[in-house]
Structures are given as structure tokens and as C-alpha cells.
């Protein structure tokens, strides 16, 4: 089903999406918020610019954006996939607990903040360009990969502050020089490269780039030094 | 090291003539205070480990035990009290932030105790709730601005989703993780029987408790633990936690030792990992951003659930509430600075925030002045200790109250304020299976039901005495209150007259 979203209120648009069948194509999308919020079993293609909280609480649908997305894309998503051919705003993938987000361009501040995981359920956020500051802040689980393609540096400041789980892979010649002392940074090992290769392959398949050229670089992995970062902070009173 | 020695606050007193060395106290104490000396056939106690929870006292078959406050003392000093000195020693020894639990115990004024309730005499007859109908039902949610009619003159139902409570008392947020499975089960079952709601707190909802969904408020906090579509739709309402009275402005850290088994699965974080709730929601820096979260939750729940926004009572609470009332939220919950907690930095708990009585009065007045009082219902907590507090809160303008410390007391909590250790001997604030099973949900839920029924009857008696027969007629009826021992400014903020006026 095709929906022309020009001038449409988000509530009307989202009602139509919910009422539609599995396949939904939205044309002339212009800032409507909450598209795909909590949806299961949909395949949504968006032309234009969806508004904030695209795919919030997404529970197993595919959303493809031909354009840019705004803030809080995939907020607290549980399952499914979001593909963005352009860039995505602040807090992309906030508190994701499952599923995948692939962004061809850049993401804003605080992407991947407080991502989680539990056993085999582990979210993935792949960024082709660069991420703003505070990438992976409070990260409790999951995988973030930043490729930094054609960018000077892959991440902004304070990458991974408060991180206590999960992993961040950065494609770069040298890791950021302002990392917290609580983060262990190493060159990606073989088992890390296997994970990276899997998602780079998927990334290149979606956005059409040269897998070999992307992988022909050094990768670093950031991990927290403890899953109990605050244990030493307190005195029982 | 001598310099680190702190004499215990409490001493275990054992009556040797009564003690039969049955070792019940030893088995019951998770803090390992009691031990048995086989050679002497005597029970011994290590006072340094005692938290004064009364578990041993309550279970001693011969009443041989009591816990007393020590008379060991520093040289008296009104400025440097023994407590202050000890806290300083602790920090000098460890470099740590002082961590406490349960509500602010400091002797700040309790305004509930300085408000007196009216009663009818002669001109307006009082009502006997045992004989006459008395309405304690409350509906929470946005109320329509006007009655709408269709072209046939029929009334159009323009009411947005409401919560219906048989009694204006709900159990406020306590997460699974901070309290036990059995504590949650007790609260859920009691809420269903009472026709009210309990609140999951920010730790998600255990799959066993989805059956209580009509009596469940599901909470979304900055850590987003356990939040997903089924969870959101499992609740009768969704609460966004912006703040907590015990620790306004800061987040929470549930230590990894409590993240075990089902708690880990329910929160969706690995076992043993700290559960960290950041201080702010990182997608909310303004009322407009709050509105975005409110509506993303409404979209995810098809506009079928009221959305509650919970804030801590802080200095600008009236202005903040005014913003919240315009954010699309249906209910504002305000948590006062005496509200409980499973763990909070002592200095924050004891020094940040304001009393709920003043916050409630100023919020209600502000929303009335701005003509937006009916945009939202107001729920207050932190701390409501009795039916009289409930009546006073409603007369000051609340639609309903939240209780949590009171509910825990009903479950057996003795307010030893040691929740943060995870060794609750009463099976409430712990995840250790041996301790959790001490709280029987059959007994726990029955005691909660008893408590609320007793309060409900008292509320009816008090309302009847005033000649008022419904919560709705009491709400915001400040003429039913008079102040005692308050200054002019306090009376002005509370909007009440002085006793005798």
C-alpha cells in the first residue's frame, strides 16, 4: 500500500500504517513522528524524512528510509531492522534491546546510549559515517560498529563513557585519545573481525559499497573494564 | 585499625534466663549477628553486624531478645552529633559516597501533622458510613473541557482513557530487583482484590505477573529496563519516571549482585551487571521532548492507556507540573522528599527536594490559576502514613495517593533502612531465595488488603464526620483543613486558614 504523507498529521499517518497490510510505502514523508512505533510484521519503506522516534519499541518489522531520519530512531526497539540511506539524529538506538539499525551516513550525539543485551538477544548498530559525542554512553550490552567512511575521525568526544557492557568497534588508524580510563581499547582480534566482517558485508549489501575496501583498515574494539563500575563508589551508611 | 572502629548503634540484649539456645536467631539472621558457643552452650551476638530489623526478636520463642540503642556516646555536641562524626569517619576510611535506604529520617517538619481536619456540628449533619452510601471511587485521567453533543443532541463520549480506583490509594513504584518476587506478587494480588493498582517500578514485569495487568502500572524510566511493546500493553497505564522524591536529580544503580536469574531476564541485561539508570532521560531536555516520549508511548499503546509522568517535589515543582500538564500526560505523580528508596546517596536523600504537602498545594493552585487543572489528575506520595494523611492530601487537591513505605511495613518491613545490602531478613528487599521465601504472598497480600480496607473505613468515617459523602466533594476542599503551629507563609502556600479562624 502506498501512502502520500504530504501534510498529514502523524496520528492519521500512523493509523493508516497500522491498518495497512504488511507492505507499506510512504511517499513525501515530512517529519511525521513515531512511524512504526511498536509494530510487528511490517515492511515499511519511507521516501522523505520521517520525524523523531522512528521505529520506537519496534517489535519485528523492517523500516527502510530513503533519506535522513531524525532523533531517537529505534528508541528501545526490541526486534526488527531499520535501514537509513542518509544520516540519523541524536540518540539513535537509545536503549535498544534487540534488532539492527544500519545508518549509511552519520549519527548525532548519544547514539547507542544504554543499549542492552540478554543472552542471545543482542542489538546491533552500524554507522557508515561518523558518530557524534557520547556514542555508547552507559552501554550495557550489544554491538556498535562505526566505519567512519571518508571521515577524519569516526567518533566525537566522550565515546563510551559509563559503558559497562557490550562492545564498540571503530574503523580508524588510531583510537580516540580521550577515552575514559574505564575502557579497555585493543586492536580487533580475529573473533572480533569475524563479527565486523559479518556486519560490514550486510552493510555493503544494503548500501552498495566495496566490502574489501571497507575491511582494508585497522579496527579497534572498546570494552568496559568492569560490569560493576560503581561498586567502589559507595560506603554503606 | 583503631581509627576505623565505630561502636555499633544498637546492642543485642539477650536475657540468659529466657534463652534456651534453640539457635532460631542464628538461622534467621542473614547478617550473621548470632552464633552458638558449643563449649559454653551459650548464644553470642556480634552487635557490629546488627541492623536492628527485629527478625530475631520477632521469632525468638521465649522473648529472650531485644535490641536497644547503645548508650555509648561521643561527648555531647549539638553541632557535631554522633551520627555526623561517624559518617565522617566512614568516608575518611573509604573515600566512598554515603549510601542509605528508605525515606529521609531527618526531623524536618511533617506538615500532615500540622493540619487539622474539620467535622460537622449542628448545622451540617455528619454521615454514618456504616448506614449510608459513601463514595471512595476515584477516576484518574484527563477530564474533557466541555460536553459535546451530536446533531441529535446526544452526548458524544469524548472521555480519554481513565483509571478507575475503588479507593484513592495505589501502591507506588518499586522495581522487581529492588524488591523480591514475593513482594511483587503480594502487591499485585492485593491491588487486584482491592480494585486499585500497583506499579512495576523500572525493572520490567515478570512474566508470571502479566495476569494482573488490569491492576498494573508499568513504568518507563531512563534505563528503559524491561521495556518493550508487550510490557507497555500489559499495563493499565504507563508511567514515565522523571524523578524520585528520595533522590531528585539523580539516577539509580541496582548493584550487580541483585541482577540474578529472573531479575536479569526481566531487565534484559546480563547477570551480575550493574543496572544503571542515568540521571536524565537522554532524549528529554525540555517539555517538548517529554511530550515526544508521552506520545511515542501513546502511539505504541494505541491511545488506550493513560500516561503518568512522575516527578520529584523540587523547588520549582509548580512550574514543572504546569509544563507536564501541557505535555499530553494524563496524570502527574509527585513524590515528596520523604519518599522511600532501595538505595540513595545519604546526602541527596536528606537534603534535596521539598515536602510533598507544600508541593501538592502549590501545584494544585498553579494548575487552577492557569485553568489547566482538569488536563491532569494529581497523585502524591512520599510519604503517606495513614488514612488521615490521605484525607489531608485529597483536601489539598490530590486525586489519589501512592503508598510504598506503608505497603512494605504491612509486608513486614521494620524500617531498618538497610535495603541496599540486599540481605533483607523479611524477604522484601532481597533476591536471595532463602530470604525471599520468608515472605509468603498469601499472608503479604492479605495484610495489604487489611491495611487498605482499614484506611478506607477510616477515610469514610472522617469524610462522614465532615458531612461529605464522596472523594470528589473532598478534593481540593481546603476549607476542611486548618493549620496549627504554622507561620503565615506556610499557611499561604498550603492555602489553609489557621485553627480558630
Amino acid at each position: 500500500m502506498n501512502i502520500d504523507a504530504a501534510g498529514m498529521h502523524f496520528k492519521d499517518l500512523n493509523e493508516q500504517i497500522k491498518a495497512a497490510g504488511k507492505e507499506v510505502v510512504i511517499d513525501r514523508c515530512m517529519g511525521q513522528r513515531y512511524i512504526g512505533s511498536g509494530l510487528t510484521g511490517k515492511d515499511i519503506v519511507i521516501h522523505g524524512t520521517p520525524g523523531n522516534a522512528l521505529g520506537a519499541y519496534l517489535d519485528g518489522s523492517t523500516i527502510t528510509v530513503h533519506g535522513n531520519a531524525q532523533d531517537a530512531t529505534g528508541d528501545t526497539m526490541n526486534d526488527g531492522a531499520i535501514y537509513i540511506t542518509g544520516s540519523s539524529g541524536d540518540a539513535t538506538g537509545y536503549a535498544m534491546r534487540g534488532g539492527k539499525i544500519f545508518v549509511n551516513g552519520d549519527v548525532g550525539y548519544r547514539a547507542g546510549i544504554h543499549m542492552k543485551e540478554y543472552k542471545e538477544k543482542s542489538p546491533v548498530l552500524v554507522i557508515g559515517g561518523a558518530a557524534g559525542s557520547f556514542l555508547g554512553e552507559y552501554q550495557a550490552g550489544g554491538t556498535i560498529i562505526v566505519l567512519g567512511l571518508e571521515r577524519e575521525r569516526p567518533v566525537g568526544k566522550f565515546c563510551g563513557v559509563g559503558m559497562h557492557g557490550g562492545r564498540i568497534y571503530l574503523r580508524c588508524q588510531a583510537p580516540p585519545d580521550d577515552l575514559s580510563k574505564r575502557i579497555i581499547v585493543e586492536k580487533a582480534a580475529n573473533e572480533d573481525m569475524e563479527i565486523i566482517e559479518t556486519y560490514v558485508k550486510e552493510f555493503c549489501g544494503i548500501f552498495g559499497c566495496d566490502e574489501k575496501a571497507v575491511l582494508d583498515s585497522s579496527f579497534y574494539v572498546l570494552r568496559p573494564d568492569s560490569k560493576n563500575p560503581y561498586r567502589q563508589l559507595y560506603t554503606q551508611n | 585499625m583503631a581509627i576505623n572502629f565505630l561502636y555499633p548503634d544498637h546492642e543485642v540484649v539477650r536475657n540468659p534466663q529466657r534463652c534456651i539456645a534453640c539457635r532460631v536467631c542464628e538461622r534467621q539472621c542473614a547478617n550473621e549477628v548470632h552464633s552458638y558457643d558449643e563449649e559454653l552452650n551459650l548464644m553470642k551476638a556480634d552487635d557490629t553486624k546488627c541492623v536492628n530489623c527485629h527478625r530475631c526478636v520477632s521469632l525468638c520463642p521465649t522473648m529472650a531478645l531485644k535490641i536497644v540503642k547503645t548508650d555509648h556516646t561521643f561527648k555531647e555536641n549539638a553541632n557535631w552529633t554522633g551520627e555526623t562524626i561517624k559518617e565522617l569517619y566512614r568516608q575518611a576510611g573509604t573515600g566512598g559516597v554515603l549510601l542509605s535506604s528508605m525515606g529521609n529520617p531527618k526531623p524536618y517538619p511533617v506538615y500532615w501533622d500540622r493540619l487539622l481536619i474539620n467535622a460537622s456540628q449542628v448545622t451540617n449533619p455528619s454521615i454514618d458510613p456504616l448506614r449510608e452510601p459513601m463514595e471512595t471511587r476515584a477516576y484518574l485521567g484527563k477530564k474533557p473541557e466541555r460536553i459535546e453533543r451530536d446533531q441529535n443532541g446526544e452526548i458524544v463520549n469524548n472521555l480519554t482513557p481513565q483509571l478507575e480506583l475503588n479507593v484513592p490509594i495505589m501502591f507506588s513504584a518499586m522495581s522487581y530487583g529492588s524488591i523480591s518476587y514475593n513482594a511483587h506478587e503480594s502487591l499485585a494480588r492485593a491491588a487486584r482484590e482491592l480494585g486499585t493498582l500497583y506499579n512495576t517500578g523500572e525493572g520490567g514485569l515478570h512474566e508470571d505477573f502479566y495476569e494482573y495487568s488490569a491492576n498494573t502500572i508499568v513504568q518507563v524510566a531512563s534505563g528503559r529496563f524491561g521495556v518493550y511493546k508487550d510490557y507497555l500493553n500489559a499495563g493499565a497505564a504507563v508511567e514515565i519516571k522523571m524523578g524520585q522524591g528520595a533522590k531528585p536529580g539523580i539516577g539509580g544503580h541496582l548493584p550487580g549482585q541483585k541482577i540474578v536469574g529472573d531479575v536479569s531476564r526481566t531487565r534484559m541485561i546480563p547477570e551480575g551487571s550493574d543496572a544503571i539508570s542515568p540521571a536524565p532521560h537522554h532524549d528529554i531536555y525540555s517539555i517538548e521532548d517529554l511530550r515526544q516520549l508521552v506520545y511515542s508511548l501513546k502511539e505504541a499503546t494505541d491511545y488506550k492507556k493513560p500516561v503518568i509522568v512522575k516527578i520529584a517535589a523540587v523547588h520549582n515543582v509548580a512550574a514543572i507540573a504546569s509544563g507536564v500538564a501541557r505535555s499530553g500526560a494524563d496524570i502527574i505523580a509527585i513524590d515528596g522528599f520523604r519518599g522511600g528508596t532501595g538505595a540513595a546517596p545519604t546526602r541527596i536523600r536528606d537534603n534535596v527536594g521539598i515536602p510533598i504537602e507544600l508541593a501538592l498545594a502549590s501545584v494544585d493552585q498553579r494548575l487552577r490559576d492557569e485553568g489547566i487543572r482538569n488536563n491532569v489528575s494529581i497523585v502524591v506520595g512520599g510519604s503517606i502514613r495513614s488514612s488521615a494523611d490521605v484525607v489531608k492530601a485529597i483536601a489539598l487537591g490530590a486525586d489519589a495517593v501512592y503508598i510504598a513505605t506503608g505497603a512494605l511495613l504491612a509486608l513486614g518491613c521494620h524500617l531498618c533502612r538497610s535495603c541496599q545490602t540486599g540481605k533483607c531478613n523479611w524477604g522484601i528487599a532481597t533476591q536471595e531465595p532463602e530470604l525471599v521465601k520468608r515472605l509468603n504472598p498469601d499472608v503479604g497480600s492479605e495484610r495489604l488488603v487489611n491495611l487498605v480496607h482499614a484506611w478506607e473505613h477510616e477515610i469514610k468515617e472522617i469524610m462522614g464526620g465532615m458531612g461529605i459523602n464522596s472523594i470528589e466533594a473532598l478534593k481540593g476542599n481546603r476549607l476542611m483543613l486548618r493549620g496549627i503551629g504554622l507561620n503565615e507563609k506556610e499557611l499561604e502556600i498550603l492555602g489553609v486558614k489557621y485553627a480558630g479562624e
Side-chain angles (χ1 to χ4, degrees):
Chain A
M1 181 178 154
N2 275 61
I3 302 171
D4 181 355
M8 200 184 269
H9 191 273
F10 71 76
K11 217 174 152 181
D12 301 324
L13 174 60
N14 292 327
E15 259 171 36
Q16 289 196 21
I17 295 169
K18 283 178 191 174
K22 183 171 185 281
E23 316 265 328
V24 185
V25 178
I26 302 167
D27 293 309
R28 297 203 289 167
C29 190
M30 188 66 89
Q32 286 91 350
R33 294 178 169 186
Y34 325 115
I35 293 173
S37 179
L39 292 188
T40 305
K42 297 272 185 187
D43 189 350
I44 302 170
V45 176
I46 299 170
H47 299 279
T49 309
N52 291 352
L54 170 73
Y57 323 105
L58 194 70
D59 199 19
S61 295
T62 302
I63 300 177
T64 308
V65 180
H66 295 283
N68 298 319
Q70 297 191 40
D71 295 346
T73 300
D75 180 355
T76 325
M77 77 184 262
N78 188 50
D79 202 0
I82 300 178
Y83 305 110
I84 295 161
T85 62
S87 293
S88 184
D90 294 344
T92 295
Y94 180 3
M96 272 177 93
R97 39 183 274 158
K100 298 182 280 193
I101 300 179
F102 284 82
V103 181
N104 191 25
D106 302 325
V107 294
Y109 281 8
R110 295 199 154 89
I113 175 175
H114 220 308
M115 275 167 67
K116 300 176 175 54
E117 71 178 50
Y118 180 73
K119 294 194 172 158
E120 68 288 346
K121 199 167 175 68
S122 182
V124 180
L125 170 61
V126 185
I127 299 149
S133 296
F134 299 100
L135 175 76
E137 189 182 19
Y138 301 106
Q139 191 180 347
T143 304
I144 300 175
I145 302 175
V146 188
L147 301 176
L149 299 171
E150 296 163 38
R151 302 292 188 277
E152 226 169 84
R153 44 184 284 167
V155 291
K157 293 176 178 165
F158 311 110
C159 178
V161 283
M163 188 179 181
H164 54 291
R167 57 219 70 83
I168 298 176
Y169 297 117
L170 302 179
R171 178 179 172 278
C172 52
Q173 295 314 311
D177 52 15
D178 67 341
L179 290 176
S180 152
K181 285 180 196 152
R182 311 294 309 262
I183 290 175
I184 298 168
V185 54
E186 291 166 332
K187 273 219 155 186
N190 285 343
E191 61 266 30
D192 294 318
M193 286 313 298
E194 278 174 32
I195 297 169
I196 292 167
E197 279 166 23
T198 306
Y199 291 113
V200 165
K201 190 171 180 191
E202 193 170 349
F203 181 92
C204 291
I206 301 157
F207 300 120
C209 47
D210 182 356
E211 191 185 326
K212 250 192 177 161
V214 174
L215 287 171
D216 184 23
S217 165
S218 50
F219 282 84
Y220 285 86
V221 56
L222 277 51
R223 286 194 179 85
D225 70 345
S226 164
K227 58 185 182 178
N228 309 107
Y230 295 117
R231 190 187 282 164
Q232 304 307 322
L233 183 66
Y234 296 113
T235 289
Q236 305 290 340
N237 185 32
Chain B
M1 209 165 38
I3 202 169
N4 281 330
F5 178 76
L6 296 174
Y7 197 90
D9 293 336
H10 301 98
E11 293 168 19
V12 180
V13 178
R14 192 185 316 271
N15 183 334
Q17 279 156 338
R18 289 186 180 175
C19 179
I20 54 173
C22 66
R23 303 175 72 172
V24 164
C25 49
E26 184 187 3
R27 287 191 294 276
Q28 288 294 327
C29 185
N31 299 304
E32 299 175 331
V33 169
H34 303 277
S35 59
Y36 177 62
D37 186 325
E38 286 194 23
E39 275 180 33
L40 299 171
N41 186 30
L42 271 182
M43 296 302 301
K44 298 193 294 186
D46 179 353
D47 296 342
T48 61
K49 295 176 176 167
C50 179
V51 297
N52 193 11
C53 77
H54 293 193
R55 181 74 187 178
C56 58
V57 174
S58 307
L59 280 146
C60 176
T62 60
M63 264 204 334
L65 287 168
K66 62 177 176 177
I67 313 295
V68 298
K69 194 176 165 188
T70 183
D71 54 5
H72 173 78
T73 180
F74 292 92
K75 188 174 276 189
E76 216 159 272
N77 188 325
N79 183 36
W80 287 97
T81 62
E83 187 188 356
T84 310
I85 295 170
K86 280 187 182 179
E87 287 173 348
L88 191 147
Y89 285 160
R90 275 196 188 99
Q91 294 194 286
T94 62
V97 170
L98 295 167
L99 193 69
S100 293
S101 43
M102 296 312 288
N104 185 342
K106 298 285 180 184
Y108 291 103
V110 177
Y111 287 94
W112 301 131
D113 296 340
R114 297 180 188 196
L115 290 167
L116 299 169
I117 299 167
N118 194 27
S120 307
Q121 296 294 299
V122 185
T123 54
N124 179 19
S126 45
I127 304 166
D128 179 355
L130 293 177
R131 290 186 301 108
E132 296 182 58
M134 191 68 86
E135 184 68 271
T136 59
R137 194 154 294 170
Y139 292 90
L140 305 182
K142 183 183 169 74
K143 303 298 184 288
E145 279 173 30
R146 62 182 74 83
I147 292 172
E148 288 175 32
R149 292 180 186 276
D150 61 19
Q151 60 255 56
N152 302 322
E154 299 294 326
I155 291 178
V156 177
N157 182 357
N158 58 356
L159 196 62
T160 49
Q162 306 279 313
L163 294 177
E164 182 185 328
L165 314 177
N166 281 345
V167 49
I169 300 168
M170 301 188 288
F171 301 127
S172 61
M174 291 178 279
S175 70
Y176 176 47
S178 75
I179 61 170
S180 65
Y181 178 98
N182 286 3
H184 254 216
E185 183 178 341
S186 302
L187 290 163
R189 283 167 55 180
R192 181 155 75 182
E193 192 168 336
L194 289 163
T196 184
L197 293 99
Y198 85 109
N199 188 314
T200 62
E202 59 178 306
L205 179 62
H206 193 286
E207 63 264 23
D208 293 354
F209 301 143
Y210 275 68
E211 62 166 302
Y212 300 98
S213 77
N215 301 94
T216 306
I217 296 169
V218 294
Q219 198 181 61
V220 174
S222 61
R224 302 278 204 276
F225 295 110
V227 177
Y228 71 115
K229 191 190 173 192
D230 291 354
Y231 168 80
L232 296 174
N233 283 292
V238 182
E239 179 172 277
I240 299 169
K241 178 190 179 184
M242 296 303 304
Q244 183 177 345
K247 41 182 167 178
I250 67 165
H253 310 144
L254 190 66
Q257 77 213 45
K258 284 190 178 180
I259 309 295
V260 291
D262 286 356
V263 176
S264 165
R265 192 175 69 247
T266 307
R267 291 194 178 227
M268 281 286 292
I269 50 169
E271 290 212 10
S273 184
D274 284 351
I276 297 171
S277 289
H281 289 250
H282 275 298
D283 51 352
I284 301 179
Y285 292 180
S286 66
I287 294 293
E288 289 75 16
D289 290 348
L290 174 64
R291 187 179 176 81
Q292 176 183 312
L293 184 58
V294 168
Y295 275 91
S296 84
L297 292 168
K298 289 192 177 200
E299 281 285 339
T301 54
D302 287 331
Y303 295 86
K304 287 178 184 155
K305 325 264 180 193
V307 172
I308 306 168
V309 172
K310 177 179 176 176
I311 54 173
V314 291
H315 299 181
N316 289 323
V317 67
I320 296 159
S322 167
V324 174
R326 298 164 200 274
S327 72
D330 302 276
I331 300 163
I332 302 179
I334 313 169
D335 197 16
F337 83 152
R338 285 188 300 269
T341 175
T346 312
R347 294 293 173 249
I348 303 264
R349 182 195 64 174
D350 295 354
N351 295 284
V352 180
I354 65 169
I356 189 60
E357 303 90 321
L358 302 177
L360 164 60
S362 64
V363 167
D364 179 67
Q365 192 58 49
R366 175 77 172 251
L367 299 188
R368 282 172 193 279
D369 291 347
E370 295 181 357
I372 53 173
R373 178 63 183 83
N374 288 332
N375 274 12
V376 284
S377 293
I378 299 176
V379 179
V380 297
S383 71
I384 303 288
R385 306 156 301 165
S386 69
S387 60
D389 291 355
V390 178
V391 168
K392 291 169 189 176
I394 290 167
L396 281 179
D399 291 87
V401 303
Y402 261 149
I403 63 168
T405 301
L408 294 187
L409 291 175
L411 293 177
C413 165
H414 279 57
L415 265 182
C416 72
R417 311 201 303 256
S418 312
C419 319
Q420 76 274 16
T421 65
K423 291 184 190 166
C424 177
N425 278 320
W426 292 93
I428 301 167
T430 180
Q431 300 304 326
E432 291 182 25
E434 284 302 303
L435 299 176
V436 172
K437 71 182 186 193
R438 294 179 181 180
L439 174 59
N440 178 343
D442 291 341
V443 177
S445 58
E446 188 190 338
R447 289 175 60 83
L448 287 164
V449 169
N450 285 345
L451 176 77
V452 175
H453 275 160
W455 285 17
E456 182 184 4
H457 189 74
E458 289 173 340
I459 290 167
K460 288 179 176 175
E461 291 270 17
I462 297 169
M463 288 204 305
M466 290 185 272
I468 284 175
N469 64 1
S470 74
I471 291 288
E472 199 55 35
L474 176 64
K475 195 167 75 188
N477 194 341
R478 299 192 194 184
L479 284 172
M480 291 298 120
L481 299 174
R482 289 291 187 274
I484 189 91
L486 297 174
N487 64 34
E488 292 240 7
K489 193 72 195 178
E490 290 168 320
L491 293 167
E492 181 193 322
I493 293 166
L494 290 166
V496 298
K497 293 181 171 179
Y498 204 80
E501 260 190 286

